Amino acid sequence: MARRQAEQSPFLEALFHGSWNGGVYGQFVRARHYVNHLRQLHVVYESLESVLPGLKDGPLTRVLRLPELRRASALLADLDWFCGDTRTKPFACAEARLHAERIREVAVEAPHLLIAHAWARCVQDVFTAPQRSELVARAFELENGRGTAFYNAVSAAELPAFQSRWAARLDEVPLTEAQAQEVVQEARLAFRIQVLIGDELARDAPELEGPGGIAG
């Protein structure tokens, strides 16, 4: 349920599939909300990457250090493309800060729970990357990969191989039955926080409309 709510967030549905007022102003407004979305993602990915050096090498880190999951620098590249110098003071909503704090907390107290947060990012970002790359490029008339670095982790052709590699590395992590259940519960928490982030961003986006095609 939590995963489905996160995937079907009204904010993300409107952002990627909604109908907007046309013209330059409509595109500008949509871009402003898209940039806010990227800023929240950067807070989460930056926290995930910041805890990696403190983890003991082993099967867990083989999962978490997959290059496809390390997207903080790509997010900065996209923010630079959309914002330029105005990116110096990125906005992070309270829910995104809460998510980052939770990641840092479990990294110290129960590192195996980081799998849940990595899984949530795979489901919401990596697995959807090929499709969303096309949607974003079309919405903002981008060419040659500019502004879509975040979605370049995997191509559509590479996605099945990544999913197999991800599953194989997960299978290598030694978890007790109790720990596996904890990971499931933590994943639900991660998805619920993402729903809250979407709800917060939606409150700042009265211009968003329902589904109807990204071109608007």
Side-chain angles (χ1 to χ4, degrees):
M1 174 66 76
R3 172 181 171 177
R4 185 164 60 251
Q5 288 177 332
E7 291 175 323
Q8 298 175 355
S9 159
F11 176 79
L12 293 182
E13 283 291 303
L15 188 63
F16 289 109
H17 303 287
S19 176
W20 290 68
N21 291 330
V24 173
Y25 179 73
Q27 190 178 61
F28 169 79
V29 171
R30 190 190 198 114
R32 181 170 69 83
H33 296 303
Y34 178 64
V35 163
N36 278 343
H37 170 59
L38 294 184
R39 284 171 170 159
Q40 312 320 304
L41 287 175
H42 181 257
V43 170
V44 176
Y45 275 92
E46 189 175 50
S47 65
L48 272 171
E49 294 184 25
S50 72
V51 303
L52 294 180
L55 300 177
K56 182 179 178 180
D57 286 341
L60 176 62
T61 54
R62 278 175 49 78
V63 173
L64 300 175
R65 290 176 179 162
L66 283 165
E68 293 86 353
L69 291 174
R70 307 182 74 169
R71 311 308 302 155
S73 61
L75 283 161
L76 284 181
D78 287 346
L79 286 168
D80 280 336
W81 172 256
F82 280 99
C83 306
D85 292 340
T86 63
R87 187 186 55 78
T88 53
K89 294 183 179 180
F91 163 79
C93 68
E95 292 79 7
R97 295 196 300 271
L98 171 66
H99 200 162
E101 290 169 8
R102 178 59 181 171
I103 288 169
R104 290 190 289 267
E105 179 182 44
V106 301
V108 174
E109 299 179 358
H112 65 283
L113 296 183
L114 292 171
I115 292 174
H117 295 277
W119 166 245
R121 300 275 48 95
C122 273
V123 169
Q124 293 193 268
D125 305 327
V126 182
F127 294 170
T128 61
Q131 178 192 34
R132 287 191 173 173
S133 178
E134 293 181 6
L135 292 172
V136 171
R138 185 163 67 244
F140 301 116
E141 301 178 13
L142 305 175
E143 296 180 349
N144 302 320
R146 296 186 180 93
T148 57
F150 176 60
Y151 302 106
N152 291 341
V154 293
S155 66
E158 296 166 338
L159 187 55
F162 168 73
Q163 290 173 320
S164 297
R165 187 163 65 254
W166 162 260
R169 292 200 182 183
L170 279 181
D171 288 342
E172 294 173 359
V173 181
L175 296 176
T176 66
E177 184 174 344
Q179 288 176 326
Q181 286 301 315
E182 290 170 357
V183 169
V184 171
Q185 291 302 318
E186 188 71 16
R188 289 172 179 161
L189 174 62
F191 286 122
R192 281 196 288 269
I193 295 176
Q194 284 303 119
V195 171
L196 293 175
I197 291 173
D199 290 346
E200 177 60 28
L201 294 179
R203 281 191 282 273
D204 187 46
E207 309 92 345
L208 288 173
E209 300 176 7
I214 193 162

